[in-house]
Amino acid sequence: MTSETVMAANTAMATDLMPALIFMVGGMLVPFFKGRAKSVYMLIIPVVGFLNLIHIPMGDYHQLVFGGFNLVLLHVDRLSLLFGYIFHIIAFITVIYILGFKNDVEYVAGFFYAGAALGAIFAGDLFTFFVFWEALTLGSVMLIWSRKTPKAQAAGFRYLLVHAFGGLVLLAGIVFHYSHTGSLEMSLMTLSGLGSWLMFFGIGINCAWPILHPWLTDAYPEATIGGTVFLSAFTTKTAVYALARLYPGTDLLIWIGVGMAAFPIFYAVIENDLRRVLAYSLINQVGFMVVGIGIGTELAVNGACAHAFNDILFKGLLFMTMGAVMHRTGKINATDLGGLYKSMPWTCLFCIVGAASISAFPLFSGFVSKSMVMSAVAHMSHDQGQGALVFVWLVLLFAAAGVFHHAGIKIPFFAFFGHDAGHRVKEAPLNMLIAMGIAAFLCVFIGTFPKYLYSVLPFQVDYEPYSISHVLAQTELLFFSALAFCLLLLSGIYPAEQRAVNLDADWVYRIGGKKVYNILAGILNPLNTGCEKVVRAVASASAFIFKDAPARIMLFVSVNIWLVFGIRGRYLELKKLRLYNDAMEGTMPIGLGAATAVGFVILMYILT
Amino acid sequence: MEEKKHLFDDPKNVKRLLAVFFACVLGLLVVDGVYLYLAKHHVIHHHASYAWENFWGFYSFYGFVACVILVLVSKYVLRPLVKRQEDYYDK
């Protein structure tokens, strides 16, 4: 079919149903189905969603005026479509993967979460974007909590707090931006003015920028087996989309991205929990995308988007294989695993495909997208005044070698080979194998025939990844990384996996927060107690005084008068007692009250 | 019941795999040399963004050194700095 006929067919069956609604509403109905019908129904949702998606012509739909704001609930262009495609694909694959878990909370949360991501990428204005951005947090935190362990609950709370904060920062940015420009349009921003900086920062939290990142490595490994696969796909990639939409060509992003690509690989080498290793390598991969967006040329943004597309597939695949291992063995630490190629050969094979893809081996998907970002950096580094980009290129090359080292070799080696931990388990369940198989197939297919992916990228592509020099360079890089691993392992220098916690920036709020609390408690609590004592002393003293002050004043005056009149002894005591009681109970003889009143009036008369 | 012998239970197979791998590594260096030689004499086009890409085995060297540095820094710098007991946060 030519593109004209496709377009004609599309307009004939055009729809403008929001993709987010299909997932969110469809997901809510999942608990009403039972048994096999439930599985079929869950598989139908992403399929219907995809059919709907490919029949939405590009443009703006559902434009509302809401209290003076112009809202566009659905905006479809090449950039949002690309993310829309991959979000549907990974949702379909993940649904197959989780069919066996029989956990309605996870199902509903998963669909809600995927729907929120779709809503955010198809949002045509900042307000709609923000609403779905918050929904994203809700869905994801439910996926973490549905693991139901105390650790997952605590990590979920921390995750929620960080993202609630990030959401508020984004909202504040949008409000400032709106009051400054009067526009809610989702369009190119420059970093000028508080509004755009706050939005930039708010998106950065979801994008897991360095120091803002630990919510990811903290919470993802604590989620359910299927939940982590969902999580790896949506939150960070929605942030990548937002950066590509709003901030392409922002120089600062290059340096942020370099930091993201470089630092996590060191952590990944010493981390024991293999899902946490993948979480660190997720940040590393997003780093490549952020650099691409920062470069901002057509090639670079294409590279960033293509890499996001591929990363969703191969990172999802790797998380699925580790999830399958965890499902069968109940273990996920490298120290407890090894030798599983014997009992889970298919999972092992799929894991190797995922590892080869993330490492960007020729013929695997990472190769055709990571190289676009690298080439874009190299191109731009020859421009006047862009010499610093040579350094960026060298660090990215270092990170590319490093990712092979920790994700490409470490994950398969420690789980499936290495020291045999003695697990004799069954191969992963069939639905998991099918899900992993589809993802693995797509990784190889995209790597081998990149033109299909290139045809849906935001800009026209004029790029050929398979040149001899490029293939040779990448193969050399990877083989010699592997050689280094081999030699270090054989010589015993390679750090043994150890059961340990590795501190990261979340220390600031997990322990630092506690310390600040203790310090403040140490200062403020005694201060509080002291103040309370003073106030209480003053209050009780004055209460004591004022309780019967009028009676005592009256007694003082009366006794002196009585003494003048010569009243003494028992009679005086009796009179004092009677007067005191009368004053306290307010039962004065009328004469006395009248005398006081008259005295008061006379006093007033004299004084005025 | 005796367990089935698996591929890498036999140390000979591990050795074979390593031998094949080392052969590949050497082979790559040879191919790289030939390629650069042909490119230098304009038999085939070599696209290089930077001068150092024309050095023999640049990527091999870089990949190897990068990974050695990565592992050494992680082991001797990062781990002593950040490693704590497994129940560090639960205390």
Side-chain angles (χ1 to χ4, degrees), chain A residues 266 270 341-342 378 381-382 390 394 398 405 424 469 473 476 480-481 483 493 496 498-501 503 507, chain B residues 3 6 8-9 22 25 32 35 49-50 52 59-60 62 66-67 71 74-75 79 82-84 86 88:
Chain A
F266 293 95
I270 55 171
Y341 78 94
K342 298 173 186 176
S381 71
H382 296 301
V390 176
L394 286 171
F398 172 76
H405 200 90
R424 294 296 175 264
S469 54
E476 276 187 47
F480 277 80
S481 302
L483 181 68
I493 298 173
Q498 296 176 350
R499 310 182 141 275
V501 161
L503 300 187
W507 184 90
Chain B
E3 212 195 336
H6 289 275
F8 296 119
D9 284 340
F22 290 136
V25 162
D32 192 30
Y35 174 66
S49 295
Y50 302 111
W52 55 70
Y59 283 97
S60 306
Y62 197 91
C67 283
V71 168
S74 302
K75 185 179 178 183
R79 186 172 254 176
V82 301
K83 199 184 113 180
R84 295 291 183 277
E86 217 174 358
Y88 178 75

Side-chain angles (χ1 to χ4, degrees), chain A residues 360-380:
Chain A
F361 261 97
L363 300 183
F364 292 89
S365 61
F367 180 77
V368 301
S369 51
K370 196 184 279 178
S371 58
M372 292 174 97
V373 175
M374 297 289 289
S375 299
V377 174
H379 275 300
M380 204 173 180

